């Protein structure tokens, strides 16, 4: 039976512009998979979309508890959307804990689909419910749809060869099938994926497909599910698209940079959440000649990366806050020696181990200043999953051109969430190559002679004849690179290292201003992009005079930023920290801004930024 | 790879930098040995890279007219790993000391050795912190009185050779700074071996820990205390060859040859794949006191990390063809908007 025959019995669906769906269950229930597949099917259908996976740090937190709930939120729309949505219109709750953890977020009147089989006394108790919320009227403000998913799944998979408790593992596919019915999605891409992953004829593959179809059919045959919805494809710009998560886009951006720089690619890293998938993605592509090195610790990760830079590779290390702290000393050495390198910091909640799987933007000041001595370096930031490709490429461009380590800031939200990405024309990417040093043999080779324009020194690599030289962490003579303790030389070198970074300002794009309102500028950086843009567009539709500027470059700042700040009466800076960019803006431009600062381990929500804007313009916030 | 027509003089490997170790330091002799050895080879100067950490010995790269890098304290093996992996054509040397390699850098040392990265690690062991002016190090003997251990050190020391063998290093040797010929023969064996080699050099710090190796260097004691390990030879030592090493139920023991008979003396086999015999030999002396083995403890063929990585790249290319990023970015499914 194919989708087409199933569709025939479909009542006319209600056309809606967009929907936010949250799949929630135990961390072992397969909700990330259900969400990802629902997303993939929607992407192929042509919707715009944005996703937000949210999971506990524990691989298997205690079953049935609120702490063990894992969720995947997807926003699908027939228009150009920028966020995974503030609040779900539809919640799939696979057990009482999932309901409890998420029900308060659901919009009033929203849909809640529950797996009634999991609402037994034991699970209710684990979730902290005294009585069953499905029956006691507490969900009356929502539309509750019930399905005994475990019974129905067991029944559906009985011929697959998967037996006993293992059969229940397919219940996420049942939920996925039922949701595909409700939101008029095709099952074909999901079935294709199952076939690819497990083989459709294997017991697991056939159980999953049977459960998927059973969920869909349950929708057809059960009257309660006869109100269905449809979201048309979004009018995205013409082109070829894929759905990409941020960490993979970062990895691909780095691969593109290595290609356009004509350099071998080396990645030295230690696994750390939420950065690890960059290492995993690059490790898959040995045929590109990519050398990935899983080091014994964070320090060895950046140490080997620095060594690869010495040897002439495009050298990358990836990490998160605790690892950035450990890498700090070697980062200073790279900066002192003046070698190109990229340090990707996928920020997470801190300090210390903090919230390993949750988003925060609290490493900004650490990235700026977290080194001993006068140690400036460029910082590039990423504003969305697909933007990570361009940001990584830009970080590499700056590193190579200016012979400097560059910090690329992304975060745990960008790392794991996804959105459609219009594939770039790879051939059209700029050439960012810079030849290694040459020496004509006349006079000694001077490794610290500089290009007068970029202030970058030459890159002479071991193996090159006639340019043997020594580098190191001791202060060096400005020409020969030999150790120098001459006081004036150290002062000269300190200014030179600073000037080299500051003058990159002339070579980076101006910050773009969205909107022409002058009452308020909302200034952001990083993953708050979608929420800020959505909020600013909404308030401007109401007639307010607000603009949005979002920073790609934080060190140095774009050269027009001072003018942009001066053009607006007020400045609002929303951040997932306690006001770090605000401090930098005040220090650099003497501009006092209003902060909107939340550290909930969650992306900022557009509606809260919106109400912050209203408060400021109504004079309720100073 | 020595040739009849010698390409280099020792001076070709000297730099114009003033050598700034204390007069009388053992480092001078080691520098001379390394420069002499490199000059004997037919390897281009630019193919050598010296990487060091922090400490007196770590100034070494500044004095070698090759590529060189003075790194971060303890991290030289990690940095050198990146160089060796990125360009397998290079001959990469790590210069480190007992504090650098065994204290702050202990983690990198053991992991580099177990991974068998193609590196030649020279560990200058003077059993003291020199650059910070005389504190006990992780190889200082128990009870040692220093500025930070005025009542005597209560810090139990490492035996670097035991540590390296415990990490299953594929090449482990020990020599003395003042014995240039032996040092050069150890350097040669280490460079010709594939993968990680560790050469411990007992190096005298005449300012902060003078005469630490006196048992092995003084004219009147050295012959009875130097146990020379020669591959394929019975381990016999002493002024007249009167002592030997035997293995019995209790492990390695020093015996008088006349009492056990020459046929019961252990014949050294550096290429024994089982590191436990070499480990037992390393335990004959816990430090340079009394009879102490010198020479190659272990020298076994193990493919280097770098070679295995290059083989993976070759295999991946044979299987998947050269990389095509345009294909990769389409690998997770695409759709077209008209």
């Amino acid at each position: 039976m194919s989708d087409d025959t199933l569709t025939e019995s479909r009542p006319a669906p209600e056309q809606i512009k967009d929907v936010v769906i949250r799949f929630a269950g135990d961390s072992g229930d397969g909700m990330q998979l259900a969400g990802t597949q629902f997303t993939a099917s929607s992407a192929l259908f042509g919707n715009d979309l944005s996703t937000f996976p949210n999971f506990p740090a524990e691989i298997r937190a205690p079953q049935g508890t609120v702490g063990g709930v894992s969720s995947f939120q997807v926003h699908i729309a027939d228009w150009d959307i920028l966020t995974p949505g503030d609040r779900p219109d539809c919640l799939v709750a696979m057990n009482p804990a999932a309901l409890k953890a998420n029900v308060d977020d659901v919009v009033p009147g929203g849909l809640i689909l529950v797996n009634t089989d999991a609402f037994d006394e034991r699970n209710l108790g684990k979730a902290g419910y005294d009585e069953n919320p499905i029956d006691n009227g507490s969900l009356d403000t929502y539309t509750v749809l019930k399905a005994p998913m475990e019974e129905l799944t067991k029944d559906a998979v009985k011929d697959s060869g998967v037996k006993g408790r293992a059969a229940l593992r397919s219940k996420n596919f049942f939920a996925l099938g039922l949701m595909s019915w409700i939101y008029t999605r095709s099952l074909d891409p999901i079935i294709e994926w199952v076939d690819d992953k497990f083989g459709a004829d294997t017991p697991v593959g056939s159980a999953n497909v049977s459960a998927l179809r059973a969920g869909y059919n349950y929708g057809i045959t059960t009257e309660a599910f006869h109100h269905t919805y449809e979201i048309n494809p979004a009018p995205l710009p013409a082109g070829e698209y894929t759905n990409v998560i941020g960490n993979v886009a970062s990895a691909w951006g780095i691969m593109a940079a290595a290609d356009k720089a004509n350099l071998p690619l080396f990645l030295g890293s230690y696994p750390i959440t939420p950065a690890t998938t960059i290492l995993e993605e690059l490790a898959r592509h040995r045929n590109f000649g990519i050398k990935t090195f899983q080091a014994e610790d964070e320090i060895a990760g950046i140490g080997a990366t620095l060594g690869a830079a010495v040897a002439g590779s495009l050298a990358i290390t990836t990490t998160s806050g605790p690892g950035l702290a450990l890498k700090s000393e070697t980062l200073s050495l790279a900066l002192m020696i003046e070698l190109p390198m990229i340090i990707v910091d996928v920020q997470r909640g801190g300090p210390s181990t903090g919230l390993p799987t949750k988003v925060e933007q609290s490493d900004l000041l650490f990235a700026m200043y977290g080194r001993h001595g006068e140690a400036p370096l460029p910082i590039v930031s990423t504003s969305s999953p697909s933007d990570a490709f361009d940001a990584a490429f830009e970080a590499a461009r700056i590193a190579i051109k200016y012979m400097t380590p560059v910090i690329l800031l992304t975060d745990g939200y960008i790392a794991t969430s996804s959105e459609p990405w219009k594939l770039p024309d790879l051939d059209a990417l700029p050439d960012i190559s810079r030849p290694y040093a040459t020496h004509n043999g006349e006079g000694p080779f001077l490794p610290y002679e500089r290009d007068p324009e970029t202030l970058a020194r030459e890159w002479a690599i071991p193996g090159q004849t006639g340019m043997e030289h020594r580098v190191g962490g001791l202060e060096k003579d400005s020409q020969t690179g030999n150790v120098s303790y001459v006081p004036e030389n150290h002062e000269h070198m300190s200014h030179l290292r600073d000037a080299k970074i500051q003058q990159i300002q002339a070579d980076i794009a101006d910050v773009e201003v969205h909107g022409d309102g002058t009452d308020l500028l909302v200034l952001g950086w990083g993953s708050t992009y979608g929420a800020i843009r959505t909020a600013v567009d909404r308030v401007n539709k109401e007639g307010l005079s607000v603009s949005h500027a979002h920073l790609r470059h934080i060190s140095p700042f774009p050269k027009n930023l001072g003018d942009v700040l001066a053009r607006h009466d007020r400045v609002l800076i929303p951040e997932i920290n306690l006001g770090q960019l605000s401090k930098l803006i005040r220090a650099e431009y003497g501009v006092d801004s209003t902060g909107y600062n939340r550290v909930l381990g969650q992306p900022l929500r557009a509606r809260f930024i919106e109400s912050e804007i209203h408060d400021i313009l109504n004079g309720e916030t100073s | 790879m020595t040739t009849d027509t010698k390409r280099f003089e020792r001076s070709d490997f000297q730099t114009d930098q003033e050598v700034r170790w204390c007069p009388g330091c053992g480092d001078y002799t080691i520098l001379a040995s390394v420069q002499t050895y490199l000059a004997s080879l037919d390897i281009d100067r630019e193919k050598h890279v010296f990487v060091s950490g922090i400490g007196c010995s770590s100034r070494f790269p500044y004095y070698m007219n090759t590529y060189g890098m003075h790194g971060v304290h303890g991290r030289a093996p990690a940095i050198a790993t990146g160089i060796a992996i990125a360009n397998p054509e290079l001959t990469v040397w790590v210069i480190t000391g007992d504090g650098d390699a065994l204290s702050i850098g202990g983690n990198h040392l053991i992991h580099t050795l177990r991974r068998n990265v193609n590196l030649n690690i020279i560990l200058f062991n003077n059993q003291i912190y020199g650059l910070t002016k005389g504190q006990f190090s992780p190889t200082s003997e128990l009870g040692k009185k220093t500025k930070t251990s005025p009542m005597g050190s209560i810090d139990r020391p490492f035996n670097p050779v035991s540590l390296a063998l415990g990490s299953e290093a594929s090449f482990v040797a020990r020599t003395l700074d003042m014995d240039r010929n032996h040092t050069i023969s150890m350097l040669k064996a280490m460079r010709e071996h594939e993968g990680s080699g560790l050469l411990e050099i007992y190096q005298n710090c005449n300012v902060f820990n003078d005469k630490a190796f006196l048992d092995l260097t003084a004219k009147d004691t050295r012959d009875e205390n130097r146990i020379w390990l020669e591959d394929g030879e019975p381990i016999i030592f002493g002024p007249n060859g009167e002592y030997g090493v035997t293995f019995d139920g209790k492990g390695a023991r020093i015996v008088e040859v006349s009492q056990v008979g020459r046929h019961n003396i252990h014949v050294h086999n550096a290429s024994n794949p089982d590191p436990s015999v070499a480990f037992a030999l390393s335990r004959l002396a816990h430090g340079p006191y009394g009879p102490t083995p010198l020479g190659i403890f272990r020298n076994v063929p193990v493919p280097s990390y770098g070679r295995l990585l290059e083989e993976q790249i070759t295999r991946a290319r044979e299987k998947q063809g050269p990389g095509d990023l345009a294909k990769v970015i389409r690998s997770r499914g695409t759709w077209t908007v008209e």
Side-chain angles (χ1 to χ4, degrees), chain B residues 254-268:
Chain B
I254 292 170
V255 293
E256 285 182 37
V257 177
S258 59
Q259 293 199 336
V260 299
R262 203 181 157 89
H263 62 282
N264 280 323
I265 298 299
H266 176 71
V267 176
H268 184 49

Side-chain angles (χ1 to χ4, degrees), chain A residues 2 7 14 79 89 165 199 264 279 355 392 400 423 467 575 588-589 592:
Chain A
S2 86
T7 321
E14 180 188 346
W79 52 286
D89 302 297
R165 290 202 59 77
L279 168 61
L355 305 171
I400 296 164
L423 296 179
M467 286 178 272
E575 292 181 84
E588 186 69 24
Y589 300 101
D592 281 326

Side-chain angles (χ1 to χ4, degrees), chain A residues 406-472:
Chain A
V406 174
I407 293 182
L408 174 63
L409 289 177
T410 79
D411 64 37
Y413 167 40
I414 289 171
T416 56
S417 62
S418 69
E419 63 181 359
W421 175 42
K422 188 178 166 205
L423 296 179
D425 176 2
L426 295 173
D427 294 332
L429 292 173
D431 180 349
I432 55 169
S433 66
R434 180 168 178 263
Y436 298 129
T438 52
H439 182 51
N440 59 12
E442 284 170 29
F445 172 66
L446 298 175
Y448 282 82
E449 214 169 25
R450 284 163 203 280
D451 178 328
E453 200 173 306
T454 62
L455 298 180
R457 73 180 188 94
E458 296 225 60
W459 192 3
I461 63 167
Q464 285 190 291
T465 313
M467 286 178 272
E468 295 89 343
H469 67 280
R470 276 61 58 192
V471 294

Side-chain angles (χ1 to χ4, degrees), chain A residues 64 142 218 263 265 270 291 308 536 585 590 594:
Chain A
Y142 308 101
Y218 189 72
L263 291 175
L265 178 54
Y270 186 70
K291 294 178 177 175
V536 168
I585 292 294
T594 305

